[in-house]
Amino acid sequence: MSEHEHSSGMGHSHDLDPSLFSENAATNEPIGLIMTLHIAFMVTSFGILYPLGMILGLAKNKWHVPVQILASTLFVIGYFLAHAHNGRNYEPHIAHRWFADIVIWTVIMQFILGVYLKLHLERSFHGRVRPVLVKIHKILGASIPVIGYVQIMLGVIASLGFCYGGHTGQCLAHFIMGSSFVGYGILLLLSLRVGGPWLMRKGRSQEWYDSWVIMLWGIVNTFTEHSRWGQPWNHGDYQHTSMGIIWWAAGLVGIMLSRNGKRTVVPSVLIILTAVAFQGHAQHVANSGAIHSYFGYMLMAGGLSRIVEICFVWKEGQFDVISPWQYLPPLTLILAGLLFMGSTEEQLGYLLVMDVDVSSYMNVLLSFGFVVFLFAFCLIYLWEKLTDYPNTPNNEGYTEVDSENTILDASSAFLDDEDDDAVELKQTNRTQ
């Protein structure tokens, strides 16, 4: 908390002296009703409506535009509420504040492109640029939920005043790595439900893409974790740099073994090794060891379940039947990511102040993880229903998948850029 107490009557300000904030980026006042409404509007807009609108847009459904308009309306209201609140004030250079400009301009560009495309201007110059603008509109639409997620996380951090001063590096590591595991879990779920045929068409396996990301991330970590070159190394530098080395080395092995669409367990093995390494990290907060240990076990479960799925459960070319076991890897990775994001030193120190035991806290984090998994599953399932996946889009009613090309074409529709008219809700025979 700041060394300087601020009176509750000082009002809202974006121009406070940064020297007033030493260890915490927020003042002591309550958040207040207006800021609470700002949070509610923004979470509803970016956490629920924009992702829903993205799915409706990918499915070319008639409700895409109304949902996007509603989301944008709540966003605008929430924006002005953020500039009208009293009570708690924040350090003027917090990331949540400057990242808002990126969010605003992304939404504005997406909205303008959406209005232009809705006019269906297709003659002469408009006809030539329309395919490009459709693709840009689609990319922006898919990026808004991601950008919104980042802004929501930054907002949570800002509201508590965490990740400031000497805590910034440790906080960034937890939120970036934790978010990566959550994102990886969602991508695995997406691949499980609709991505298999697309991967087959590309002639690549999921692990080939995973290994490239692992290798590139490892290279970045190898040369960035020790940010003070020429200065002595500490135990954290050794831990994180060595982790980067093993990541790019394992990534290279994974790329080699997953050539020509072959599957490999190397990314899963690396996840297990990463879990072991994190469990061995030195901790500086009393209750930190328990939650990091829980995180490690959950991450190990994700790696082990992925190995079992690849070696014993997965059947090549079978996309219409999903084993219950195949949901374990994405679920455990999402749960592990939430646990890691919630285990920063400041968060765990706050638990001690509030006299909350770490087991109860972990239950709350895991509950959020299940909600994230459920929401991601529902969005994917909604797209399947709206597009009649894995059946052909033109078939009505219940239709059997009669050929490999049929399901390949249906899956590719998820990435289709054609500007078709809206489609109605259709039935599907997908086996859960």
Side-chain angles (χ1 to χ4, degrees), residues 177 210 260 381-382 418:
M177 183 65 76
D210 295 348
N260 303 319
Y381 187 70
L382 176 62
E418 295 181 5

Side-chain angles (χ1 to χ4, degrees), residues 312-335:
F312 304 106
V313 179
W314 173 75
K315 304 296 182 184
E316 185 174 1
Q318 179 176 300
F319 307 116
D320 56 339
V321 178
I322 298 176
S323 166
W325 183 273
Q326 292 177 283
Y327 289 110
L328 279 178
L331 175 60
T332 50
L333 286 172
I334 290 173
L335 295 178

Side-chain angles (χ1 to χ4, degrees), residues 213-226 240 244 248:
V213 173
I214 288 169
M215 184 196 69
L216 295 174
W217 196 324
I219 292 174
V220 172
N221 275 14
T222 298
F223 296 101
T224 59
E225 287 298 334
H226 179 66
H240 298 133
W248 65 253

Side-chain angles (χ1 to χ4, degrees), residues 25 112 117 148 180 234 271 298 353 400:
I112 292 174
L117 294 174
S180 299
N234 57 41
I271 288 176
M298 191 65 69
V353 175
E400 295 295 331

Side-chain angles (χ1 to χ4, degrees), residues 30 62 73 117 127 203 230 299 303 375 401:
K62 65 181 181 180
T73 301
L117 294 174
L299 200 57
F375 186 57
V401 180

Side-chain angles (χ1 to χ4, degrees), residues 4 26 31 38 41 52 99 167 172 178 184 203 238 240 261-262 281 303 306 326 328 339 361 432:
H4 298 263
I31 290 179
H38 161 76
F41 277 43
L52 177 60
F99 194 79
H167 298 288
L172 281 174
Y184 187 23
Y238 288 120
H240 298 133
K262 301 297 182 181
H281 277 199
R306 182 77 168 157
Q326 292 177 283
L328 279 178
L339 285 172
Y361 178 60
Q432 303 307 312

Side-chain angles (χ1 to χ4, degrees), residues 387-393 395 397-401 406 410 427-429:
T387 59
D388 200 24
Y389 178 85
N391 303 318
T392 55
N395 288 340
Y398 292 89
T399 308
E400 295 295 331
V401 180
T406 297
Q427 295 171 309
T428 181
N429 65 339

